[in-house]
């Protein structure tokens, strides 16, 4: 499966981070939109499987199909650019500044949210037959998830907020491992296998992914979830996104870069 050595694929990570900085506004938005939409479809696919079979593990096993599709098509998730673009700055790539990095994050966020929200509206229309029925058991399940992951956290105050933050960190540790995993092979089969494992883990463990939540919570609100937009932002999206940023960069990007690019001095015996 044509495995690349760490020093090779970490250089590819830095190259990818630099390339994303130079995408046009149009291309960045399109790639973000499609990534958000595809991941949203994968999320509702996984929830549907879990509800219909009563086997949550099966939903988690199949959820990574969405991540694999969007990555192979060259689309961008906020969680991925959180990890990749700062590496180009650390590597002192020309033209890469924090202003450019923040611009990229902002555009990808807008694209991801627009794509995820589009799917939320489309799926809510489908489940309710044009808003003429209650949406059934799947809609009810998603509504309950939305409530438990907003006002459910709020009930614990600061401890609840930091619980979401840590779940966001753990999520993007795994998701960014999936991004990196795709770079260790030059064959599609190798890329898919390396992506599949950490994505399955994060989904089954219930870690918090900012882009999945861009679909989940608008969909839950449309389906009657008892929480507000501010509940969603303060008690999920903001701490989740911050946790995703810290987890992906600290646990994956910086560790790989520091030990495979900026390696320490060799020991003298």
């Amino acid at each position: 499966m044509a495995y690349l050595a760490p020093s090779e694929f970490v250089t590819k990570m830095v190259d990818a981070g630099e390339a994303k900085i130079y995408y046009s506004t149009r291309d960045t938005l399109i790639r973000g939109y499609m990534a958000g939409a595809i991941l949203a479809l994968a999320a509702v696919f996984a929830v549907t499987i879990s509800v219909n079979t009563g086997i949550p593990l099966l939903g988690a096993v199949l959820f990574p199909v969405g991540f694999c599709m969007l990555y192979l098509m060259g689309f961008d998730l906020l969680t991925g650019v959180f990890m990749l673009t700062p590496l180009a700055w650390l590597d002192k790539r020309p033209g890469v500044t924090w202003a450019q990095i923040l611009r990229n994050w902002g555009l990808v966020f807008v694209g991801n949210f627009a794509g995820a929200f589009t799917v939320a509206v489309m799926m809510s229309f489908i489940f309710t037959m044009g808003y003429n029925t209650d949406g059934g058991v799947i809609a009810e399940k998603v509504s309950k998830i939305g409530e438990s992951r907003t006002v459910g956290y709020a009930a614990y105050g600061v401890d609840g907020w930091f619980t979401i933050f840590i779940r966001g960190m753990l999520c993007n540790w795994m998701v960014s491992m999936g991004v990196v995993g795709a770079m260790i092979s030059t064959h599609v089969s190798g890329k898919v296998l390396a992506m599949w494992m950490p994505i399955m883990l994060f989904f089954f463990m219930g870690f918090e992914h900012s882009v999945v939540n861009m679909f989940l919570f608008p969909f839950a609100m449309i389906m009657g979830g008892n929480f507000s937009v501010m509940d969603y932002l303060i008690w999920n999206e903001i701490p989740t996104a911050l946790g995703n940023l810290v987890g992906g960069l600290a646990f994956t990007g910086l560790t790989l870069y520091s030990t495979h690019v900026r390696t320490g001095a060799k020991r003298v015996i």
Side-chain angles (χ1 to χ4, degrees):
M1 123 178 124
Y3 171 75
L4 300 180
S7 58
E8 296 175 293
F9 69 71
V10 176
T11 299
K12 290 181 65 175
M13 291 166 59
V14 180
D15 293 341
E18 180 184 16
K20 294 179 191 304
I21 294 295
Y22 287 102
Y23 289 162
S24 69
T25 298
R26 186 201 69 163
D27 289 344
T28 304
L29 287 172
I30 290 173
R31 295 178 191 206
Y33 181 91
M34 293 307 300
I38 292 170
L39 201 67
L41 282 171
V44 74
F45 170 61
V47 171
T48 301
I49 291 170
S50 298
V51 170
N52 288 345
T53 65
I55 307 173
L57 178 59
L58 187 58
V61 167
L62 295 175
F63 170 75
V65 67
F67 184 87
C68 293
M69 284 193 294
L70 71 89
Y71 188 89
L72 292 173
M73 294 298 105
F75 301 141
D76 286 328
L77 291 172
L78 184 63
T79 45
V81 297
F82 273 165
M83 186 264 296
L84 292 173
T85 51
L87 299 183
W89 178 80
L90 281 174
D91 208 52
K92 296 182 172 56
R93 297 295 176 92
V96 178
T97 64
W98 272 104
Q100 294 297 325
I101 291 170
L102 292 173
R103 170 188 172 275
N104 175 262
W105 291 357
L107 290 173
V108 172
F109 178 94
V110 170
N112 284 173
F113 187 86
F117 186 78
T118 299
V119 172
V121 173
M122 293 171 72
M123 295 308 300
S124 67
F125 192 95
I126 291 171
F127 279 116
T128 61
M129 294 292 181
Y131 305 110
N132 289 301
T133 70
D134 64 5
V137 293
I138 295 171
E140 181 182 359
K141 175 67 173 178
V142 175
S143 295
K144 295 301 182 185
I145 292 172
E147 292 171 9
S148 68
R149 293 193 176 185
T150 50
V151 293
Y153 286 129
Y156 294 94
V158 173
D159 290 339
W161 197 94
F162 277 103
T163 297
I164 314 169
F165 177 81
I166 294 169
R167 284 186 171 180
M169 289 177 62
L170 294 171
C171 171
N172 207 27
W173 182 8
M174 291 297 97
V175 172
S176 57
M177 287 292 288
V179 172
V180 174
M183 298 180 182
I184 71 174
S185 173
T186 56
H187 296 166
V188 171
S189 58
K191 290 177 181 291
V192 168
L193 180 61
M195 287 187 279
W196 207 280
M197 296 180 288
I199 303 303
M200 177 178 63
L201 189 158
F202 112 71
F203 194 86
F204 184 73
M205 293 299 294
F207 297 152
E208 298 282 357
H209 191 285
S210 55
V211 182
V212 171
N213 293 351
M214 291 175 190
F215 158 77
L216 183 66
F217 290 92
F219 182 75
M221 291 185 72
I222 295 170
M223 292 293 97
N226 188 24
F227 60 96
S228 68
V229 173
M230 290 306 294
D231 288 331
Y232 158 59
L233 292 175
I234 295 172
W235 293 103
N236 194 284
E237 191 62 41
I238 292 172
T240 294
L242 292 173
N244 288 168
L245 169 61
V246 173
L249 192 55
F251 292 151
T252 304
L254 292 178
T255 51
L256 287 169
Y257 181 78
S258 63
T259 195
H260 292 303
V261 175
R262 292 191 178 180
T263 56
K266 300 293 184 183
R267 291 180 62 231
V268 176
I269 300 176

